[in-house]
């Protein structure tokens, strides 16, 4: 097993996740089996109880694991299936060690950070790296490990120490370190500054890790003099200083690394058995990136939610929209609308904000209401759904969005004025959405129905069908999973979260349908005999469709 540790310096949120994903992608394009682990130094057991404003969205895996959004990047870039144990937190490690201590596994010894915590980290990484993440079941050959946060943070010290020891246990030929740093360019002088990177690398070396590659995040390409200066003061060759400048699309990052010889260096450094030849997977990525830069036609989607001030709150939703827009050769414009701004109260208190929100909604080609929690903004979402239904605008409701579409139809078509979800109005006479029997309202973490499940389509004529029909149910026939409305271009609600399975060259069907309808292409697409199914990303049969027409594998 070869291990590649990705650390970060100067600031958090520097792009380690995209760089780790890109490194994994270019190695996978060489025919290697690659897995990925994300380490988050916070004490939470998992990301399930975070506000989206803390770390962005909570990504959900096939096994129901609620994890950091970077694992979503790994799955999208590498087209792999990870598990909850691919996300390691301080909370998980300490819980594991304390449970062992309570069982008496340490035979009365004093349990300490070194060696017990550091040993537990290393054992976790070695064990998880061996678990297959590809459909072929083959054990991975390379494990990319991203250490969250910034070098020097007190929270990450046990992990840094664990990897300092780990590099000697697995030997030099099996371990390398990529350090991602920032090269700022103050507008006052326009000069690229190397001091933050020098200090960051010095601190990392002081903790016992020496970077093999220094990846410099910068606004503009690194000047040669700057690269040589970093090389001299950070004890690496100039070829080991990699420029990761801002690019038009994150899908260009793997190509940027490839052009600077990263694959060649890593293969030589880790003695990886690969042939340097033309790689079909990377060619597809280049075609996709080039195409995204040349798009001329535009399509706009109004995203009506409650966490719209921070786009990472809807990271997978945005990516799924981008994948679908690219598949139909349109440049995507997302209009973020805070659902509370659509409510009558806002008209009284902040009329300008109210009218701006409605102007955005009315000018959009399609409407998306994503998942969420809590009563705030729900009436605004219902207003948006009602408008989309009456105006025949393409609409997709996900999770809460689907539930509120049911409430809106019950209120405005069936005349049940107090129709609501028991989550928001437990005393409603028309509770059209109810709590699941297994839901535990007294505990916040790990109480939802999560993971990859099977949904059975009950209609042969479904576009995903034609009717306000519950066209998809779970295998027991108890939970309604998919709704569609008669006499409408595209009015669909899904209880699950299809965005988690969307891939850059394999868009999610519900989102793909929304974008086709928003661009006015859905009917012609269907008339040509095509189903709303993703294309097979990496196979030789690139035009083949994958899911069975009656039963689709879906994920909540």
């Amino acid at each position: 097993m070869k291990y590649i540790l990705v650390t970060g310096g100067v600031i958090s949120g520097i792009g380690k996740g995209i760089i780790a994903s890109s490194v994994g992608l270019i190695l996978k394009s060489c025919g290697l089996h690659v897995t990925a682990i994300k380490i988050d130094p916070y004490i939470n057991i998992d990301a399930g109880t975070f506000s989206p404003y803390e770390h962005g969205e909570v990504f959900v895996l096939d096994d129901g694991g609620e994890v950091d959004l970077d694992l979503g990047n790994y799955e999208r870039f590498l087209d792999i299936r990870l598990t909850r144990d691919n996300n390691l937190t301080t909370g998980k490690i300490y819980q594991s060690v304390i449970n062992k201590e309570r069982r008496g596994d340490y035979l009365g010894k004093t349990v300490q950070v070194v060696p017990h915590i550091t040993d537990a980290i290393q054992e976790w990484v070695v064990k998880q790296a061996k678990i297959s993440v590809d459909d072929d079941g083959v054990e991975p050959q390379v494990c990319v490990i991203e250490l969250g946060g910034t070098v020097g943070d007190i929270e990450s010290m046990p992990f840094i120490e664990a990897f300092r020891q780990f590099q000697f246990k697995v030997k030099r030929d099996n371990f390398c370190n990529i350090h991602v740093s920032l090269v700022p360019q103050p507008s006052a002088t326009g000069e690229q500054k190397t001091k933050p990177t020098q200090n960051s690398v010095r601190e990392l070396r002081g903790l016992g890790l020496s970077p093999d590659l220094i990846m410099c995040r910068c606004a503009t390409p690194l000047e040669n003099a700057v690269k040589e200066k970093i090389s001299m003061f950070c004890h690496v060759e100039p070829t080991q200083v990699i420029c990761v400048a801002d690019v038009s699309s994150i899908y260009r990052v793997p190509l940027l690394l490839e052009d600077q010889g990263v694959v060649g260096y890593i293969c030589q450094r880790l003695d990886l058995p690969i042939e340097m030849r033309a790689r079909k997977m990377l060619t597809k990525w280049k075609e996709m990136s080039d195409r995204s830069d040349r798009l001329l036609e535009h399509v706009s989607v109004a995203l009506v939610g409650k966490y719209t001030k921070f786009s990472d709150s809807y990271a997978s939703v945005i990516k799924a929209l981008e994948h679908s827009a690219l598949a139909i050769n349109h440049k995507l414009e997302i209009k973020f609308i805070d659902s509370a701004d659509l409510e009558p109260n806002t008209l009284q208190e902040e009329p300008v904000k109210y009218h701006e929100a409605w102007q955005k909604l009315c000018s959009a080609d399609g409407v998306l209401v994503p998942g969420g929690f809590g009563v705030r903004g729900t009436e605004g979402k219902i207003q948006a759904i009602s408008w989309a239904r009456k105006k025949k605008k393409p609409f997709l409701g996900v999770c809460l969005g689907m539930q509120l579409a049911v409430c809106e139809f019950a209120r405005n078509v069936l005349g049940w004025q107090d129709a609501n979800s028991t989550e928001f109005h437990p005393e409603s006479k028309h509770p059209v959405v109810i709590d699941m029997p297994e839901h535990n309202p007294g505990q916040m973490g790990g109480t939802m129905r999560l993971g990859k499940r099977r949904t059975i389509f009950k209609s042969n004529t479904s576009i995903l069908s034609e009717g306000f029909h519950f066209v998809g149910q779970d295998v027991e026939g108890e939970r309604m999973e998919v709704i569609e409305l008669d006499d409408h271009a595209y009015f669909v609600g899904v209880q699950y979260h299809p965005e988690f399975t969307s891939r850059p060259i394999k868009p999610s069907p519900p989102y793909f349908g929304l974008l086709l309808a928003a661009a006015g292409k859905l009917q012609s697409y269907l008339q040509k005999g095509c189903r709303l199914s993703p294309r097979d990303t990496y196979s030789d049969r690139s035009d083949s469709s994958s899911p069975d027409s009656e039963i689709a594998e879906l994920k909540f």
Side-chain angles (χ1 to χ4, degrees), residues 241-252:
V241 179
I242 307 298
C243 166
V244 188
D246 293 347
V247 286
S248 57
S249 161
I250 60 170
Y251 304 122
R252 287 210 168 275

Side-chain angles (χ1 to χ4, degrees), residues 189-243:
T189 61
E191 182 185 1
Q192 293 177 327
K193 297 293 185 181
T194 65
K195 195 63 72 179
T197 296
Q198 292 179 43
N199 291 338
S200 177
V201 171
R202 185 184 303 118
E203 181 150 23
L204 183 65
R205 290 171 65 87
L207 295 169
L209 287 173
S210 295
D212 296 285
L213 289 172
I214 300 173
M215 297 206 176
C216 301
R217 287 285 292 111
C218 43
T220 57
L222 276 185
E223 297 164 13
N224 281 335
V226 173
K227 186 179 277 196
E228 287 170 5
K229 189 174 182 182
I230 291 171
S231 163
M232 180 170 65
F233 284 103
C234 297
H235 309 280
V236 293
E237 293 284 341
T239 53
Q240 293 168 258
V241 179
I242 307 298
C243 166

Side-chain angles (χ1 to χ4, degrees), residues 20 26 36 79 166 199 219 250 288 293 310 407 414 448 454 469 497:
I26 57 179
D79 198 25
F166 190 67
N199 291 338
I250 60 170
M288 180 183 68
D293 288 343
F310 185 40
C407 294
L414 303 182
M448 294 187 294
R454 186 167 292 242
H469 299 303
H497 286 266

Side-chain angles (χ1 to χ4, degrees), residues 360-374:
K360 281 184 184 178
L361 181 65
C362 295
S363 62
D365 300 313
V367 179
L368 170 66
V369 178
F373 294 92

